[in-house]
Amino acid sequence: MTVRPLFDANATAGGRDLGDLPEWDLTDLYPAPDAPELKRDLDWLEDACKRFAEDYEGKIADLDADAFLEMVHRHERIEAVAGRIMSYAGLRYYQNTTDPARTKMLSDMQEKITAYTTPLVFFSLELNRVPDDTYAALFEANDELARYKPAFDRVRAMKPYQLSDEMEKFLHDMGVVGDAWERLFDETIAGLEFEVDGEVMGIEATLNLLSEQDRAKREAAARALGTVFTNNIRTFSRVHNTQTKEKEVMDRWRGMPTPQTGRHLANDVEPEVVEALRDAVVEAYPRLSHRYYALKAKWMGLDRMEVWDRNAPLPMSSDRTVDWDEARETVMNAYSEFDPKMAEIAQPFFDKGWIDAAVKPGKAPGAFAHPTVTDAHPYVMLNYLGKPRDVMTLAHELGHGVHQVLAAGQGEMLASTPLTLAETASVFGEMLTFQRMLANAKDDAEKKVLLAGKVEDMINTVVRQIAFYDFECKLHEARKGGELTPDDINALWMSVQAESLGPVFDFMEGYETFWAYIPHFVHTPFYVYAYAFGDGLVNALYAEYRERPEGFQEKYFEMLRAGGSKHHKDLLAPFGLDATDPTFWHKGLSMIEGFIDELEAMED
């Protein structure tokens, strides 16, 4: 069993006076790496897994509803203890991925918990062998047990792809090998050094320079990234080849029809819904990214744009730094204006060491909110450097945190939200923060900068992530034909870039390697479409909020409290929305088009 956070879009980076940036206090999980409580939990877990297997293996089909419920409670307790251990080891590791002691602890915990939980592999396998009528009768016989049915239905969805017990145990044990490749990727990324104008810096600080006002500085950063990625491309190619091949082998043995099938099943979303989203976004490229970037080139006085201009600030925007106190106040005011309850849930993140915000040597890049376990609380990681986009990243991750706090009441089996819906609260939190900032804009010039920034963020969330999804689809398909050279992978990357960004762009030598640093491709294949799914869903939700605000907040909190206990169709029904409707995605995309319309109108 491996518990890991899901990295969000890369946060920006820097080295300025940003105020008192918070750090994690992990003692709510364990007092220290050598704490007796940790050894106690490891010993308990080893014994609990053995006893669970002794008590239930070969017997699940004969359990009555009450006995089945007791088994579920025992399994949840095992999940909670294992999750706490792995959360602690993982969060310590992400604070400093170059520390050998932290790396060793994470590896040791992964190996121990994989070994301890191997006897539990029978659980889902046997469950899927229970006859359909017996299965249905169990949940009809006990109301408390019926609450868990959505979680078991998702397990049953894997029934057609289930292997023999021996093979499943083998694959479970082999999971630590995949974890090792992921750690190689993380540690390689964290250890990279980039020289920009004589200054040596890590990846976060270098990526941050791509949004600097000075065009020469942006170009220098982009070329440094391209050079270092190129110099390390064989390592990244090896990681991607190995991970993609491993997935292909497992999918083939399981009989999964596509490489994406496992992700769709995990997300509890129909493949045709994802393809409808993908097709709607690709069809809208000319109306979204192509049109916006042509407008941006005009503002910047450029006939052609380079990749280092994509996230450049507008000429009329200020280069001021947003310190931590201002960022916190901006986000919390936006949350409170929507509903004081939302700000109340968010407050402990700032007060109790639930956020780690500073950029530090060895710290993992990007940002995430990790729920840990339901009897603890989430932790948010940022790499905060005072950019306006960093404020939006704070709003985004805090939205995840609020969602995770609310869903915790569902318990270990039902709290986790499918990735497609996991982005709902985060993107909604961003939208609330943006709308508050827009309403408080001093003049049209500031409003223009805010609108343009929001459009860029939405393009990064929708267009860029669907382009990432297409790249992954091509990568996994191509890998079926054999080993891919770095040039092969580079070519796949470039095949989606011009299409998504538009004809105004040129691409520098070295940009073909920029696939190398995206963590999602390694940690969670096909994760990326969840961003576009979440953005489109939130745009439709926010439009509903503006049109019919009465009672919206309570319906919204109920949706978040549901965690993974309901399908997206059931969650959206109270709002009159349906993601299976082919026109649904056009509603979300029309909001982005509307913002671009406003920007074009300001040119007249």
mmCIF file of all heavy atoms in Angstrom, residues 478-494:
data_model
loop_
_atom_site.group_PDB
_atom_site.id
_atom_site.type_symbol
_atom_site.label_atom_id
_atom_site.label_comp_id
_atom_site.label_asym_id
_atom_site.label_seq_id
_atom_site.Cartn_x
_atom_site.Cartn_y
_atom_site.Cartn_z
ATOM 1 N N ALA A 478 2.446 4.571 -28.480
ATOM 2 C CA ALA A 478 3.722 4.372 -29.178
ATOM 3 C C ALA A 478 4.602 3.346 -28.464
ATOM 4 O O ALA A 478 5.307 2.557 -29.108
ATOM 5 C CB ALA A 478 4.454 5.704 -29.310
ATOM 6 N N ARG A 479 4.552 3.315 -27.123
ATOM 7 C CA ARG A 479 5.411 2.406 -26.358
ATOM 8 C C ARG A 479 5.046 0.948 -26.609
ATOM 9 O O ARG A 479 5.894 0.054 -26.466
ATOM 10 C CB ARG A 479 5.303 2.724 -24.861
ATOM 11 C CG ARG A 479 6.230 1.895 -23.959
ATOM 12 C CD ARG A 479 7.684 2.196 -24.252
ATOM 13 N NE ARG A 479 8.589 1.419 -23.415
ATOM 14 C CZ ARG A 479 9.039 0.199 -23.704
ATOM 15 N NH1 ARG A 479 8.650 -0.410 -24.821
ATOM 16 N NH2 ARG A 479 9.870 -0.414 -22.903
ATOM 17 N N LYS A 480 3.814 0.686 -27.037
ATOM 18 C CA LYS A 480 3.423 -0.687 -27.367
ATOM 19 C C LYS A 480 4.277 -1.247 -28.502
ATOM 20 O O LYS A 480 4.463 -2.456 -28.607
ATOM 21 C CB LYS A 480 1.951 -0.728 -27.779
ATOM 22 C CG LYS A 480 0.973 -0.440 -26.663
ATOM 23 C CD LYS A 480 -0.456 -0.467 -27.200
ATOM 24 C CE LYS A 480 -1.464 -0.075 -26.131
ATOM 25 N NZ LYS A 480 -2.848 -0.034 -26.681
ATOM 26 N N GLY A 481 4.808 -0.363 -29.353
ATOM 27 C CA GLY A 481 5.609 -0.803 -30.487
ATOM 28 C C GLY A 481 7.074 -1.009 -30.173
ATOM 29 O O GLY A 481 7.851 -1.374 -31.053
ATOM 30 N N GLY A 482 7.472 -0.755 -28.926
ATOM 31 C CA GLY A 482 8.869 -0.956 -28.540
ATOM 32 C C GLY A 482 9.443 0.245 -27.819
ATOM 33 O O GLY A 482 8.771 1.263 -27.597
ATOM 34 N N GLU A 483 10.702 0.111 -27.432
ATOM 35 C CA GLU A 483 11.423 1.164 -26.714
ATOM 36 C C GLU A 483 11.383 2.474 -27.486
ATOM 37 O O GLU A 483 11.577 2.513 -28.702
ATOM 38 C CB GLU A 483 12.877 0.721 -26.528
ATOM 39 C CG GLU A 483 13.776 1.738 -25.853
ATOM 40 C CD GLU A 483 13.777 1.612 -24.339
ATOM 41 O OE1 GLU A 483 13.154 0.659 -23.821
ATOM 42 O OE2 GLU A 483 14.401 2.449 -23.683
ATOM 43 N N LEU A 484 11.135 3.559 -26.762
ATOM 44 C CA LEU A 484 11.103 4.886 -27.377
ATOM 45 C C LEU A 484 12.410 5.613 -27.068
ATOM 46 O O LEU A 484 12.837 5.667 -25.907
ATOM 47 C CB LEU A 484 9.922 5.695 -26.848
ATOM 48 C CG LEU A 484 8.529 5.113 -27.105
ATOM 49 C CD1 LEU A 484 7.462 5.955 -26.416
ATOM 50 C CD2 LEU A 484 8.244 5.021 -28.598
ATOM 51 N N THR A 485 13.024 6.166 -28.071
ATOM 52 C CA THR A 485 14.216 6.983 -27.851
ATOM 53 C C THR A 485 13.789 8.341 -27.308
ATOM 54 O O THR A 485 12.617 8.740 -27.449
ATOM 55 C CB THR A 485 14.994 7.191 -29.162
ATOM 56 O OG1 THR A 485 14.198 8.017 -30.031
ATOM 57 C CG2 THR A 485 15.314 5.872 -29.835
ATOM 58 N N PRO A 486 14.721 9.097 -26.714
ATOM 59 C CA PRO A 486 14.367 10.458 -26.310
ATOM 60 C C PRO A 486 13.799 11.274 -27.471
ATOM 61 O O PRO A 486 12.840 12.035 -27.279
ATOM 62 C CB PRO A 486 15.702 11.022 -25.820
ATOM 63 C CG PRO A 486 16.446 9.828 -25.306
ATOM 64 C CD PRO A 486 16.072 8.725 -26.233
ATOM 65 N N ASP A 487 14.375 11.110 -28.668
ATOM 66 C CA ASP A 487 13.858 11.845 -29.828
ATOM 67 C C ASP A 487 12.424 11.447 -30.151
ATOM 68 O O ASP A 487 11.615 12.285 -30.577
ATOM 69 C CB ASP A 487 14.752 11.614 -31.056
ATOM 70 C CG ASP A 487 16.068 12.370 -30.971
ATOM 71 O OD1 ASP A 487 16.158 13.291 -30.124
ATOM 72 O OD2 ASP A 487 16.989 12.044 -31.737
ATOM 73 N N ASP A 488 12.089 10.181 -29.975
ATOM 74 C CA ASP A 488 10.713 9.723 -30.199
ATOM 75 C C ASP A 488 9.742 10.451 -29.259
ATOM 76 O O ASP A 488 8.682 10.922 -29.675
ATOM 77 C CB ASP A 488 10.584 8.215 -29.959
ATOM 78 C CG ASP A 488 11.318 7.375 -30.994
ATOM 79 O OD1 ASP A 488 11.510 7.856 -32.125
ATOM 80 O OD2 ASP A 488 11.707 6.233 -30.654
ATOM 81 N N ILE A 489 10.123 10.487 -27.983
ATOM 82 C CA ILE A 489 9.242 11.126 -26.996
ATOM 83 C C ILE A 489 9.163 12.624 -27.256
ATOM 84 O O ILE A 489 8.089 13.238 -27.170
ATOM 85 C CB ILE A 489 9.723 10.826 -25.559
ATOM 86 C CG1 ILE A 489 9.814 9.309 -25.330
ATOM 87 C CG2 ILE A 489 8.763 11.451 -24.543
ATOM 88 C CD1 ILE A 489 10.343 8.919 -23.961
ATOM 89 N N ASN A 490 10.306 13.226 -27.594
ATOM 90 C CA ASN A 490 10.321 14.653 -27.931
ATOM 91 C C ASN A 490 9.340 14.957 -29.064
ATOM 92 O O ASN A 490 8.609 15.955 -29.033
ATOM 93 C CB ASN A 490 11.729 15.091 -28.352
ATOM 94 C CG ASN A 490 12.727 15.064 -27.208
ATOM 95 O OD1 ASN A 490 12.365 14.930 -26.050
ATOM 96 N ND2 ASN A 490 14.001 15.178 -27.549
ATOM 97 N N ALA A 491 9.332 14.102 -30.076
ATOM 98 C CA ALA A 491 8.463 14.323 -31.242
ATOM 99 C C ALA A 491 6.994 14.231 -30.853
ATOM 100 O O ALA A 491 6.153 15.011 -31.342
ATOM 101 C CB ALA A 491 8.787 13.319 -32.342
ATOM 102 N N LEU A 492 6.661 13.299 -29.954
ATOM 103 C CA LEU A 492 5.282 13.192 -29.483
ATOM 104 C C LEU A 492 4.867 14.452 -28.737
ATOM 105 O O LEU A 492 3.740 14.953 -28.900
ATOM 106 C CB LEU A 492 5.125 11.967 -28.575
ATOM 107 C CG LEU A 492 5.346 10.595 -29.218
ATOM 108 C CD1 LEU A 492 5.280 9.501 -28.155
ATOM 109 C CD2 LEU A 492 4.318 10.343 -30.310
ATOM 110 N N TRP A 493 5.768 14.970 -27.922
ATOM 111 C CA TRP A 493 5.501 16.205 -27.165
ATOM 112 C C TRP A 493 5.225 17.371 -28.116
ATOM 113 O O TRP A 493 4.232 18.095 -27.961
ATOM 114 C CB TRP A 493 6.681 16.503 -26.258
ATOM 115 C CG TRP A 493 6.644 17.820 -25.555
ATOM 116 C CD1 TRP A 493 7.352 18.945 -25.857
ATOM 117 C CD2 TRP A 493 5.872 18.152 -24.391
ATOM 118 N NE1 TRP A 493 7.072 19.948 -24.974
ATOM 119 C CE2 TRP A 493 6.165 19.488 -24.061
ATOM 120 C CE3 TRP A 493 4.969 17.449 -23.602
ATOM 121 C CZ2 TRP A 493 5.578 20.149 -22.970
ATOM 122 C CZ3 TRP A 493 4.380 18.100 -22.515
ATOM 123 C CH2 TRP A 493 4.682 19.417 -22.210
ATOM 124 N N MET A 494 6.073 17.521 -29.109
ATOM 125 C CA MET A 494 5.922 18.649 -30.025
ATOM 126 C C MET A 494 4.667 18.506 -30.888
ATOM 127 O O MET A 494 4.108 19.510 -31.347
ATOM 128 C CB MET A 494 7.158 18.792 -30.902
ATOM 129 C CG MET A 494 8.419 19.198 -30.133
ATOM 130 S SD MET A 494 8.213 20.689 -29.102
ATOM 131 C CE MET A 494 7.860 21.917 -30.361
#
